[in-house]
Amino acid sequence: MNNYKTQFIDNAIDSGALKFGQFRLKSGRVSPHFFNAGEFYRGKALATLGQCYAQAIVDAGIEFDVLFGPAYKGITLAAATSVALAEHHNVDVPYCFNRKEAKSHGEGGTIVGAPLEGRVLIIDDVITAGTAIREVMTMVEQAGAQAAGVVIGVDRKERGSSDKSAIQEVEQQFDIPVVSIIDIDDILTYLNTKDDMAELVVQIKDYRQEYGV
């Protein structure tokens, strides 16, 4: 497993963003793991997070003109990733994000930061049902821009309403790549190195057997 993947998991666990236990999801399923990027709220953790996103983007080789972070969690992710790309990869790219409600005064509009134009790389934490990403795709299309891909933190590799995951559905519907820093297999690989995590590994494998793709 790549160093930045391990770094991402360590950072997520230390920050409380990656939790293990019993978590009821919107789908009604009870999952043994849960990820919430809102827990990366300290400077060092956020800097590390941005470096992991930046490395995943560089490794994926996606060509793009602007980073877009959907409100609200994507805003911080896009900013941190833009900084990390500039500082660690000498890639100086603009970023922008949307407001939930249009501003009627000042500069107005719903987009803040760089113009939403050219090839747009969307930065978010997870894709659960794909609803949020579809809303972003509408914004990109209305701006006359083109989606270059999506980068997320964690791929649960879990079925949605069909036999495909929400990520697979997004890739198929919009013909764009969806890149994740880690997926559930990476988490299992990480946990298998820990002597006290054997029971949790079994729980996650059982969950995957039932709901995984």
Side-chain angles (χ1 to χ4, degrees), residues 13-105:
I13 292 174
D14 291 344
S15 300
L18 179 59
K19 297 180 173 68
F20 302 109
Q22 297 291 307
F23 305 94
R24 185 167 295 278
L25 308 179
K26 288 181 180 179
S27 62
R29 299 170 184 172
V30 179
S31 171
H33 57 94
F34 187 75
F35 179 72
N36 175 18
E39 297 294 332
F40 294 107
Y41 50 71
R42 289 187 178 275
K44 185 177 179 180
L46 188 58
T48 299
L49 182 65
Q51 291 169 29
C52 292
Y53 269 90
Q55 189 63 59
I57 291 169
V58 170
D59 284 359
I62 300 175
E63 295 184 356
F64 65 99
D65 301 306
V66 61
L67 293 170
F68 179 78
Y72 289 102
K73 291 177 184 176
I75 297 174
T76 304
L77 297 177
T81 302
S82 180
V83 170
L85 283 168
E87 288 193 342
H88 299 279
H89 301 280
N90 197 31
V91 178
D92 189 15
V93 293
Y95 79 95
C96 59
F97 58 89
N98 65 300
R99 295 187 178 94
K100 287 287 189 179
E101 296 180 0
K103 187 177 179 182
S104 59
H105 61 281

Side-chain angles (χ1 to χ4, degrees), residues 131-154:
T131 306
I133 290 299
R134 289 180 175 87
E135 291 175 355
V136 171
M137 292 298 295
T138 299
M139 281 188 279
V140 170
E141 291 170 2
Q142 289 177 345
Q146 177 186 355
V150 182
V151 183
I152 58 173
V154 180

Side-chain angles (χ1 to χ4, degrees), residues 4-5 56 150-155 167 178-183 186:
Y4 75 89
K5 292 177 180 284
V150 182
V151 183
I152 58 173
V154 180
D155 179 1
I167 287 175
V178 177
V179 175
S180 64
I181 299 174
I182 63 165
D183 58 29
D186 295 319

Side-chain angles (χ1 to χ4, degrees), residues 121-194:
L121 185 58
I122 301 158
I123 308 291
D124 215 343
D125 56 349
V126 295
I127 294 178
T128 304
T131 306
I133 290 299
R134 289 180 175 87
E135 291 175 355
V136 171
M137 292 298 295
T138 299
M139 281 188 279
V140 170
E141 291 170 2
Q142 289 177 345
Q146 177 186 355
V150 182
V151 183
I152 58 173
V154 180
D155 179 1
R156 294 177 61 94
K157 301 180 87 168
E158 186 172 325
R159 291 195 312 275
S161 55
S162 68
D163 60 346
K164 295 183 176 66
S165 72
I167 287 175
Q168 290 172 329
E169 290 172 350
V170 167
E171 288 183 318
Q172 188 175 56
Q173 180 179 354
F174 298 106
D175 192 27
I176 56 173
V178 177
V179 175
S180 64
I181 299 174
I182 63 165
D183 58 29
I184 189 58
D185 293 321
D186 295 319
I187 294 174
L188 283 170
T189 298
Y190 177 93
L191 293 176
N192 274 320
T193 66
K194 310 296 180 182

